[in-house]
């Protein structure tokens, strides 16, 4: 069974909804999926100032529990999807700190066998969706991993969302990712599982 890790950070829930869509898509392809969140690093006082932030954290801890990612999840996976909100045009520090702990796996060459893809949400359509995905995936060059774009293969990307870099949501449009954004996420998860399966078979 192909192993897919969807590892994400989400403060207010948008990226989490995309993460779930990718997980569903990977499961559609028959993959064994781990949907994980990276640890929150922000001080409690900062989180408490934003009701959506504290509500989402509570949701992931209690109402809809999401496993906290460990470096072992990176080693386990054939395919890895990395999700983060756009933060000043790049990924959040929470995701970056988690990934900065992958040096041990990198030095053993383990990460060179992986297929990696990325997804994001930003407030505005020109607020840095593509730059966040590109910046998130810089690490794949160092890992020697294969970068998988979403591409235009799925009709919802070609005709509606129009972002071949990865699933994305412009959160100013609504309180949660809409049907098209979720469909793009699902297509990305499905594609990741299929490609990771093919790559794993030739390792
Ligand atoms: C510190 C900070 C920086 C942000 N930077 C950007 C940005 O550069 N461009 C943008 O469009 N939105 C930016 N946003 C908005 C978030 O990307 C957006 O609200 C996103 O949907 C949040 O995703 P989440 O609900 O998964 O946390 C920023 C938000 C914060 C808190």
């Amino acid at each position: 069974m192909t192993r897919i890790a969807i590892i994400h950070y989400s403060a207010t829930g948008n990226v989490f909804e995309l993460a779930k869509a990718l997980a569903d898509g990977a499961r559609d392809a028959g993959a064994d999926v781990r949907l994980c969140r990276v640890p929150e690093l922000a001080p409690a006082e900062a989180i408490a100032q934003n009701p959506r932030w504290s509500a989402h954290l509570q949701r992931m801890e209690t109402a809809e529990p999401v496993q906290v990612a460990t470096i072992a999840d990176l080693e386990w996976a054939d395919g890895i999807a990395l999700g983060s909100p756009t933060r000043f045009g790049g990924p959040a520090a929470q995701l970056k700190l988690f990934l900065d702990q992958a040096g041990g796996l990198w030095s053993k060459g383990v990460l060179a066998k992986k297929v990696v893809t990325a997804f994001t949400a930003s407030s505005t359509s020109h607020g840095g969706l593509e730059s966040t995905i590109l910046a998130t995936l810089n690490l794949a060059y160092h890992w020697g991993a294969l970068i998988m774009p979403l591409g235009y293969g799925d009709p919802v990307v070609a005709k509606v969302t129009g972002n071949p870099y990865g699933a994305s949501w412009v959160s100013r449009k609504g309180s949660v990712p809409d049907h098209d954004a979720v469909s793009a996420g699902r297509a990305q998860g499905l594609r990741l599982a299929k490609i990771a399966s093919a790559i794993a078979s030739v390792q």
Side-chain angles (χ1 to χ4, degrees):
M1 220 172 173
T2 309
R3 297 184 296 263
I4 299 297
I6 318 278
I7 296 178
H8 82 292
Y9 174 72
S10 180
T12 53
N14 292 301
V15 171
F16 177 49
E17 295 303 322
L18 294 178
K20 288 193 287 183
L22 269 91
D24 287 343
R27 287 191 197 102
D28 289 345
D32 184 4
V33 177
R34 288 185 188 174
L35 171 54
C36 311
R37 61 187 168 98
V38 297
E40 181 56 85
L41 303 175
E45 310 85 82
I47 298 170
Q49 280 171 18
N50 181 338
R52 286 191 64 209
W53 195 353
S54 34
H56 181 61
L57 186 57
Q58 207 175 12
R59 174 184 172 198
M60 288 192 301
E61 285 173 349
T62 52
E64 201 175 343
V66 181
Q67 198 73 29
V68 175
T70 67
I71 290 301
D73 293 315
L74 295 176
E75 184 163 20
W76 169 85
D78 301 307
I80 300 164
L82 300 172
S84 168
T86 290
R87 290 280 169 92
F88 306 125
Q94 285 84 344
L95 181 65
K96 185 69 170 65
L97 181 69
F98 172 76
L99 294 167
D100 284 352
Q101 296 168 60
L105 291 184
W106 164 81
S107 67
K108 288 190 274 176
V110 171
L111 298 167
K113 299 176 181 160
K114 314 295 181 184
V115 179
V116 186
T117 198
F119 57 102
T120 188
S122 72
S123 176
T124 64
S125 51
H126 298 286
L129 295 170
E130 287 102 305
S131 65
T132 297
I133 290 173
L134 291 169
T136 302
L137 292 173
N138 273 340
L139 58 77
Y141 292 91
H142 297 261
W143 289 3
L146 279 97
I147 293 173
M148 193 209 81
L150 172 55
Y152 284 111
D154 190 87
V156 79
V157 184
K159 296 195 176 115
V160 190
T161 64
N163 186 352
Y165 294 80
S168 52
W169 171 239
V170 175
S171 56
R172 200 174 268 188
K173 286 187 188 171
S175 57
V176 284
D178 66 10
H179 180 264
D180 294 326
V182 167
S183 297
R186 199 165 185 137
Q188 190 170 5
L190 181 80
R191 184 167 204 230
L192 177 63
K194 285 183 178 171
I195 292 180
S197 169
I199 296 297
S201 72
V202 296
Q203 297 286 348

